[in-house]
Amino acid sequence: MGDCCEIHQEEPPKQKKEKIEKKPREEERKESSKKQDQNRINALQMLETIPAGDWTRAVEVASTLEQRGSDRELCRSAAKAAERICCQERGLDALTEQGAVQSLLQAWQTHRNDTSMSVHTHNVVARFWERASGDDQWICLPAQLGVAKVLLSAQSEWLAEGHRTAVKLHEKGHKTAAMELYRLCIEQLTKEHGADSQCTLQAQNNLAVLLEECQQFQEAEKLHTEVCKQMEAKFGAEHGDVTSSKFNLAALKAKLGHLAESESIYRQVLEVRERTLGPQHSNTLRAKANLADIIRRQNRLEEAEGMLKNLVDQAHVSFGRDDPTTLKARCQLAHVLAGLGDEARNRQAEAQLREVVSRREQKLGPSHPETLTALGRLAFVLEGSNPREAEQLNEQIWQRLDSLAPAEKRRARARSGGFVLGLAELGEPEREEALLRQVVERRSATLGATHPDTLAARAELAAVLSRKDGEEAKAESLALRREVANLSETCLGLEHVETLAAKAALAGAILRSLGPDANPVDVKAAKAEAEELHLKATGRFKAAQAAVPLPCATAMPISPQSPSYPQALSPTGSKIAAAPRI
C-alpha cells in the first residue's frame, strides 16, 4: 500500500526580492533643469560684463554662439557683446580669427525676427566692411577673406556693400585686395542675379579695368569684350553703361597699339554721346579728346589739330578756362602743334603750354603731377629752340619732385660740389669737364658704377659735354645719357626721381642730336624714341611722389600702384562703375 501511494512534499516558499528604491526620473529632470538654468544665467551675466574693446573675451563669445545657437536670449547678448568688442581694431581681429562673425551670422539667420539681435549683427558687419575698405592687407588675410565670402552670400545688402568696398580699395590703389573682392562679388552676383544682370556686368567691368592697370592685358581685353557684347545685347547701344564699357575697351585697344580698332570704337561712342548727351557734355568731350589722341598717334596731325581746336572751344564755353578738361585739351593741342614742326605752330604750342602751366600752378599748386606734366611738355617743346631754358625747367621739375618724394625715391645729394659749379659760372668749361671726369672716376672706384652719387656725377658730365661744340662731345654726351638712364632704371627703379630725370635728359639729348642734314627716316625714329622716353618720365610723376608700400608676409603680393577714379576717367581713360544698390 505504501508502494502505491505518492507522498506530496511541499516546496519551500520563494523569498521576495527587495525592491531597490530609485530616484524618480522627474526629480532628475528638475535637478538638471536647475543646473542648466544656472549655467544659462552665468553665461548671460558673463556676456553682459564684457567691456568695450576687450579682445581677450572674443573666444567666449564665439563659444557661446557655437554651442548655444538655439537660445535666442543668449545669442542676443552675444551679438551685443560682439558689437562692444569690435569697437577697436584688435577686437574685430579677434572675433574674425575665432570664427565668431560666422557663428553670429548663423545665429542671426536662426533668429531673424529678433530686432535687437539684427541691429547688433548689422553693426558688427558694418564695422567689418569699414575696416576692409581702408586696410588692403587686412582684408587679404585668410580669416578675413573667409568672413567676406560668408557675408557676400548671406544677404544682398552685404553683397552690394562688398562691391562698394572693392571699388574703394580700387580707387585707393589697393589692387590685390580689390581684385580678390571683385572676383568674390562676381561669383556671388552671378549666382543670385545671373551673368547678364546689370550689377554683375558692372562688377566685371570694374575687374577688367583693374586687370588692365595690373598689366594683365589679355584677360582684360577678353573680359571687356564680353561685357560690351552682353551689355549691348541686354540694354541696347545707347545705354550709358554700354558706351562706358565700349569706352574702356577702346582705351585698352589703344594701349595695346590696336589704333584702328580703337578709333572705330571711339567713333561709335562719340556718335552715341553726341546724340544722347549733347556735344557739350563732359563725357562727350572726353570721348572726343581720346579720339583726337588716337588720330594723332596715327600721324594724322592736321585732322587731330582741327578736332582739338574745336574741343578747346567747346570745353572753354562749357567749363571755363581753368577747368581740368579745358587745360587737358590745350595740352593735347600743344602736343599736336609741336608735332607739325613749323615755327609758327611751335610758338603757338609754347604759348598754350605756358598758360596751362600758369593756371595749373595757381589752381593745383606748383608740385601737382598735372602741373609738372605740363611743365615737362613745355621743356620738351623748348629742346629744339631754347635748350638752356628746357634744362632749367627740367631742373625745376626734379627739385619739386624731390621736395615731395619719399627719401628712397629722391635724387642723390652728393653733387660735384660748389667749386665745379663756380668754374662753370666763370666760363672755364675745360677745367669743369676735367674735374667732373675725376669725380666720376673716383666715385666709380670707391662707390661703384651703379651708386646714385656716381650716376649723378655722370649725368652732370653729360650735361657739360652737351654744351660743347663738336660731334665727338655730343656723341659722348648722348652715350652717357643712355647709360645713366638704363642703369638708373635697373638699379633705382622706374619711379625714382633720378630715373625720371635721366629719361627726360636722354629725350632732350636725342632731339638735340638731330642735325639739319639728318635722314628723314632717322629723324622720325629719333623723335618717336624721344617722345616715348618723355611720356615714360612724365607718366610716373604721381607714382614718384607716393611712398613705397611695405611688404607684408601674410598678404598677397601687391601690384605696382596706379590710381583709378569712380565715375571719371583714369589715366588710361577707363571708367569704374560705382557699385549699385541691389
Side-chain angles (χ1 to χ4, degrees), residues 77-312:
S77 293
K80 189 175 180 181
E83 184 182 355
R84 290 198 302 274
I85 289 173
C86 76
C87 72
Q88 293 183 8
E89 288 188 354
R90 187 66 189 90
L92 183 59
D93 291 345
L95 288 171
T96 308
E97 289 158 8
Q98 293 294 333
V101 179
Q102 290 96 319
S103 298
L104 177 59
L105 292 175
Q106 289 176 0
W108 168 72
Q109 288 172 339
T110 303
H111 310 291
R112 271 182 179 268
N113 58 344
D114 190 307
T115 305
S116 177
M117 186 176 178
S118 291
V119 170
H120 298 313
T121 302
H122 278 73
N123 288 342
V124 172
V125 172
R127 182 75 184 90
F128 176 88
W129 287 126
E130 180 187 2
R131 175 83 181 276
S133 65
D135 191 337
D136 63 306
Q137 296 184 354
W138 183 80
I139 190 59
C140 280
L141 297 174
Q144 280 71 0
L145 278 176
V147 172
K149 288 178 183 178
V150 172
L151 290 176
L152 293 175
S153 60
Q155 188 167 314
S156 293
E157 177 190 341
W158 295 337
L159 178 54
E161 189 60 43
H163 189 190
R164 281 191 284 273
T165 300
V167 171
K168 288 177 186 176
L169 290 166
H170 190 171
E171 292 166 8
K172 294 175 182 177
H174 302 320
K175 296 182 179 178
T176 301
M179 189 175 295
E180 187 70 37
L181 262 185
Y182 277 145
R183 292 190 189 279
L184 290 175
C185 288
I186 289 167
E187 181 183 349
Q188 196 60 37
L189 285 166
T190 303
K191 286 180 184 176
E192 291 193 14
H193 303 281
D196 63 345
S197 69
Q198 186 173 8
C199 50
T200 305
L201 293 172
Q202 284 179 339
Q204 288 179 323
N205 170 78
N206 294 349
L207 176 59
V209 172
L210 182 56
L211 288 167
E212 178 184 342
E213 292 169 6
C214 293
Q215 312 296 309
Q216 298 178 33
F217 296 124
Q218 189 173 359
E219 187 178 355
E221 184 177 17
K222 181 181 177 183
L223 190 53
H224 269 313
T225 304
E226 288 176 1
V227 169
C228 277
K229 286 180 180 177
Q230 289 184 333
M231 279 192 169
E232 190 164 6
K234 189 174 180 67
F235 305 116
E238 296 190 355
H239 193 278
D241 284 349
V242 175
T243 54
S244 294
S245 182
K246 285 185 174 182
F247 188 102
N248 292 344
L249 179 59
L252 177 57
K253 295 280 188 185
K255 182 178 283 188
L256 295 173
H258 306 156
L259 300 183
E261 293 178 71
S262 177
E263 180 182 347
S264 174
I265 299 170
Y266 272 133
R267 287 193 185 278
Q268 294 173 33
V269 172
L270 181 60
E271 189 271 328
V272 171
R273 286 183 174 175
E274 283 183 332
R275 189 172 65 254
T276 58
L277 302 177
Q280 301 293 116
H281 193 278
S282 58
N283 286 347
T284 306
L285 297 182
R286 286 191 187 104
K288 183 178 281 190
N290 284 21
L291 175 58
D293 191 58
I294 295 301
I295 292 170
R296 176 196 65 79
R297 289 175 61 184
Q298 295 178 84
N299 210 33
R300 290 147 52 193
L301 298 182
E302 288 82 1
E303 184 182 351
E305 179 188 10
M307 186 176 288
L308 286 167
K309 282 182 176 178
N310 178 258
L311 175 63
V312 169

